[in-house]
């Protein structure tokens, strides 16, 4: 199967009460790990490229690696998506260069400017067979060059979503309900301790999600900043020379619940970074005389595969949905 847009994936996910995983890709090992897991579990998948990934790895290298993944996994639908596009020119360049989906993230701009820029991207994308994700509301953390300090984020206003979707014609909408980018989503002080001694962050704003869903029936909602920051990998990083105190993510049960509702796309990047980095640190600490990148990237690639398989089975619910 050639690269696909997210249109059919989202329609099936919405009706089926599951979500598609959107995983950020920066190199061959990450693409291989994600696609091997999705291929074995017969799950649709979205490979997404940020502006930073594109300048790190080069557009052509990433597209060719993704084309290789499509050739190796002919049975599963794979979409290639621009994550957090910030200009019309960047979105156009990705569409012209083979992406099937782009995000225009004008969420930090005033409402009317967000609408105007999103509309411009939608017109170009639809004329060229691509689809568009837009965003309303801002997440804390770093989205490429836009840094939103904790406390300055704003939840999506449900009363704005219908007008926004109608006037822009976007195909999916990212909303802000309390998730944020990176490995430090909540401080330990914000959390409560449950009966097993586990830190539990404040819950996501499901009321905002439900209100958006009521106003946009059948329309695919996207969640960014949805890594769960598994403590086993934080511990692994810290045990082998790292220093990531107090890294806390979104509990997986909350994401599973969101996937059963109108959330059709869940973005996960930090968990992959953590799994890779933990394993590379461990491997090098245990084999101080090794210096062949294939040796330490092999367990890192396996860790990406295991992480993605876990998300597909236990968080997204997208196994066997091709
Ligand atoms: O939301 C952003 C993604 O995690 C990509 O991060 O801009 O460091 O590539 P990046
Ligand atoms: P995380 O940092 O939670 O993995 O979020 C990734 C993301 O939203 C990419 O757009
Ligand atoms: Zn994001």
């Amino acid at each position: 199967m050639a690269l696909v847009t997210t249109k059919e994936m989202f329609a099936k996910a919405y009706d089926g009460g599951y979500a598609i995983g959107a995983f950020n890709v920066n190199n061959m090992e990450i693409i291989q790990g994600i696609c091997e897991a999705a291929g074995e579990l017969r799950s649709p998948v979205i490979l997404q490229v940020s502006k930073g990934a594109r300048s790190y790895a080069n557009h052509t290298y990433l597209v060719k690696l993704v084309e290789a993944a499509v050739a190796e996994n002919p049975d599963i639908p794979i979409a290639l998506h621009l994550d957090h596009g910030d200009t019309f020119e960047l979105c156009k360049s990705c569409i012209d260069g083979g992406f099937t989906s782009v995000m225009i993230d004008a969420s930090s701009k005033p409402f009317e400017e967000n609408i105007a820029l999103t509309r411009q991207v939608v017109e170009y994308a639809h004329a060229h067979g691509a689809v568009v994700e837009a965003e309303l509301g801002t997440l804390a953390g770093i989205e490429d060059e836009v840094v939103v300090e904790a406390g300055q984020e704003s939840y999506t206003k449900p009363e704005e979503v219908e007008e926004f979707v109608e006037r822009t014609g976007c195909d999916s909408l990212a909303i802000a309900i309390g998730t944020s980018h990176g490995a430090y989503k909540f401080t330990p002080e914000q959390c409560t301790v449950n009966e097993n001694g586990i830190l539990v962050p404040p819950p996501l704003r499901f009321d905002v999600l439900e209100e958006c869903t009521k106003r946009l029936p059948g329309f695919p909602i996207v969640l960014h900043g949805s890594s769960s920051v598994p403590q086993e990998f934080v511990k692994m990083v810290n045990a082998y020379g790292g220093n990531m105190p107090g890294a806390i993510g979104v509990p997986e049960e909350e994401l599973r619940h969101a996937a059963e509702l109108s959330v059709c796309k869940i973005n996960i990047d930090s968990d992959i970074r953590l799994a890779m980095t933990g394993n590379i640190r461990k491997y090098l600490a245990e084999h101080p005389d090794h210096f062949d990148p294939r040796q330490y990237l092999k367990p890192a690639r396996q860790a990406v595969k295991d992480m993605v398989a876990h998300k597909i089975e236990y968080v997204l619910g997208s196994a066997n949905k091709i």
Side-chain angles (χ1 to χ4, degrees):
M1 184 183 305
L3 280 174
V4 298
T5 74
T6 52
K7 214 158 187 72
E8 191 181 331
M9 291 183 189
F10 287 169
K12 286 187 182 168
Y14 198 104
D15 291 343
Y18 61 92
I20 312 296
F23 302 99
N24 288 73
V25 299
N26 298 281
N27 65 18
M28 182 186 76
E29 285 76 11
I30 296 177
I31 293 173
Q32 288 177 327
I34 295 166
C35 291
E36 277 179 30
E40 284 175 22
L41 291 169
R42 302 179 66 73
S43 167
V45 71
I46 299 167
L47 302 177
Q48 57 185 14
V49 170
S50 69
K51 186 175 166 183
R54 201 163 171 260
S55 63
Y56 168 76
N58 170 302
H59 178 97
T60 310
Y61 277 93
L62 287 172
V63 169
K64 294 295 169 193
L65 285 167
V66 169
E67 284 172 6
V70 169
E72 288 294 317
N73 296 278
D75 298 338
I76 59 165
I78 301 179
L80 176 55
H81 172 78
L82 168 67
D83 191 27
H84 295 289
D86 58 350
T87 61
F88 172 78
E89 290 70 28
L90 174 59
C91 294
K92 177 180 182 303
S93 167
C94 287
I95 294 165
D96 293 346
F99 284 43
T100 54
S101 172
V102 293
M103 175 187 195
I104 176 67
D105 180 358
S107 60
S108 59
K109 297 188 191 302
F111 188 66
E112 286 297 329
E113 280 180 47
N114 188 351
I115 289 185
L117 181 52
T118 302
R119 178 74 216 157
Q120 188 190 8
V121 173
V122 167
E123 278 171 9
Y124 189 82
H126 287 181
H128 294 81
V131 292
V132 179
E133 174 186 328
E135 181 170 329
L136 257 186
T138 50
L139 279 68
I142 303 167
E143 297 177 352
D144 265 320
E145 277 126 45
V146 180
V147 180
V148 181
E149 300 293 341
Q152 299 303 306
E153 70 275 26
S154 60
Y155 298 113
T156 302
K157 297 187 184 96
E159 61 275 18
E160 289 181 349
V161 297
E162 289 151 289
E163 181 184 350
F164 184 85
V165 168
E166 195 178 315
R167 287 179 58 197
T168 61
C170 67
D171 302 280
S172 60
L173 183 67
I175 63 168
I177 61 166
T179 62
S180 59
H181 290 101
Y184 301 90
K185 300 185 190 300
F186 305 98
T187 62
E189 296 70 41
Q190 284 177 293
C191 300
T192 49
V193 184
N194 75 6
E195 61 279 9
N196 302 317
I198 303 205
L199 289 174
V200 182
L204 298 180
R205 290 287 305 272
F206 278 96
D207 58 323
V208 173
L209 171 60
E210 278 162 22
E211 194 53 43
C212 292
T213 306
K214 250 192 241 161
R215 289 164 185 263
L216 294 173
F219 192 79
I221 300 294
V222 177
L223 281 191
H224 282 249
S226 297
S227 278
S228 295
V229 191
Q231 293 303 301
E232 68 174 290
F233 293 109
V234 177
K235 285 186 189 136
M236 191 187 280
V237 166
N238 291 339
Y240 294 99
N243 183 23
M244 297 186 65
I248 298 170
V250 182
E252 289 189 335
E253 311 78 68
E254 289 195 87
L255 297 165
R256 179 73 204 106
H257 182 49
E260 284 161 3
L261 304 174
S262 56
V263 171
C264 294
K265 173 174 181 273
I266 293 188
N267 285 13
I268 297 170
D269 184 11
S270 299
D271 284 354
I272 287 186
R273 295 179 180 194
L274 259 182
M276 286 193 90
T277 302
N279 276 278
I280 290 170
R281 283 188 176 279
K282 179 171 188 288
Y283 184 91
L284 291 174
E286 288 173 350
H287 305 86
D289 54 326
H290 287 190
F291 68 103
D292 181 341
R294 292 172 298 186
Q295 290 173 318
Y296 57 82
L297 289 176
K298 202 170 171 184
R301 178 173 58 189
Q302 182 64 41
V304 174
K305 181 176 175 182
D306 295 344
M307 174 66 74
V308 171
H310 169 81
K311 298 290 181 185
I312 288 173
E313 288 194 287
Y314 300 105
V315 179
L316 303 158
S318 62
N320 298 309
K321 304 290 189 190
I322 60 173

